[in-house]
Amino acid sequence: MQPGKGHLMIQFDAVHKRFPNGTTAVHDLSLEMPEGGVTVLVGSSGCGKTTTLRMINRMVDPTSGTIRVGGRDVLDQDAADLRRSIGYVIQQSGLFPHRTVLDNIATVPLLLGHGRRKARARAAELLETVGLTAESGKRYPHQLSGGQQQRVGVARALAADPPVLLMDEPFGAVDPVVRTQLQDELLRLQKELSKTIVFVTHDIDEAVRLGDQIAIFRTGGHLVQCATPSELLARPADDFVADFLGAERGLKLLSLTPLKDIPQAPAPEGGTWELALDAARRPLHWRTKNTGEPELPVRPLRDTDSLLAALNESIASPTGLVARVDADGALTGVTSRDEIHQHAGQAHAEARVAS
Ligand SMILES: Nc1ncnc2c1ncn2[C@@H]1O[C@H](COP(=O)(O)OP(=O)(O)O)[C@@H](O)[C@H]1O
Ligand SMILES: [Mg+2]
């Protein structure tokens, strides 16, 4: 969650959704989504994620309970206005096939009454924001790759500069490499834009990467647990959540745990191996006194790097020591493999407690 943005943008209070055919899609859901944060709804197919999302912008109305956006009951707001003021991105990008990419993005600004020129200028700006070339604006959606189409979908959702963005498995149909790129891109965008994002996925790794908080659903539209990724990984509420998080729960937790609080010692000098530094004290490589042995690479770590990165680096390092650097990349000290193991063990133990 973004610091300093305490208040709640979206609130579900005892919300039920039962469709006319008798299916209960959402069961007694109470959930709060803080302003400026990413809330990920995760769970297997049919557990009510899309229905939950669509109740926020009134594409579906609840059977009972209250949903507030910006403090106002959505049922008191005009459905069309609400939908226009909330960005919506879906898996099949939902682009108009016979309109150019630029015109697709300009659709909402036009609807909102911006003139054609202004709408197009805004669209051109957004193309760049989502990492597409100006040239791609002239193409038609089918002339773009799946990943590019999803970027256009995101640009279009951002066009009206909505405070809230709903994303329903937006990266579900693209290959893993492109998917990671799109996730990175979204994280970068979110740093700048601080939207209140509700993101649906059935991929727990995607949830852990993107979520400030993760809400796990179970069949029948039951919310099982809502917590930050680290809380969830360290303390899953029950076996269902633990299973859902997968066997690599401990590793995932390590990948989220920063090095920050782990002690450092002075870098060794005069031993068999030492760190070669440049003039600004940035580590260059490990060098040895033993003749004939090559220099070995060093990957210095910052406080924000993860325990998992440190564990990997300590295995690659000839001394088992990890070089720690400040924000400018200058050496601050080293941490031993034992020290890292010890802290990793603590994180693992915590993760095991509840399972
Ligand atoms: N319009 C509808 N009419 C009847 N049942 C529906 C409708 N939409 C969804 N459902 C049912 O509600 C449940 C939840 O669906 P959905 O919210 O789409 O789940 P998810 O997005 O998690 O896959 C499913 O059992 C689904 O079949
Ligand atoms: Mg769905």
Side-chain angles (χ1 to χ4, degrees), residues 11 89-90 95 97 147 171 184 187 193 198 233 266 272 294 319 324:
Q11 293 159 282
V89 188
I90 56 173
L95 301 175
F171 310 146
D184 287 343
L187 287 170
L193 303 177
V198 189
L233 290 164
T272 314
T319 53
R324 308 272 301 266

Side-chain angles (χ1 to χ4, degrees), residues 19 21 23-25 44-52:
F19 285 107
N21 69 358
T23 307
T24 295
S44 49
S45 177
C47 67
K49 306 181 296 294
T50 294
T51 304
T52 300

Side-chain angles (χ1 to χ4, degrees), residues 117-134:
R117 268 192 58 173
K118 203 174 153 209
R120 288 202 162 182
R122 170 83 179 132
E125 209 178 277
L126 281 160
L127 263 185
E128 202 185 318
T129 307
V130 298
L132 292 171
T133 62

Side-chain angles (χ1 to χ4, degrees), residues 254-271:
L254 291 187
S255 76
L256 290 181
T257 312
L259 259 183
K260 173 165 62 68
D261 296 327
I262 299 182
Q264 0 191 342
E269 279 173 54

Side-chain angles (χ1 to χ4, degrees), residues 15-17 55 60-67 74-75:
V15 171
H16 273 274
K17 177 61 193 181
M55 286 193 287
V60 172
D61 280 340
T63 311
S64 62
T66 316
I67 298 153
V74 291
L75 296 182

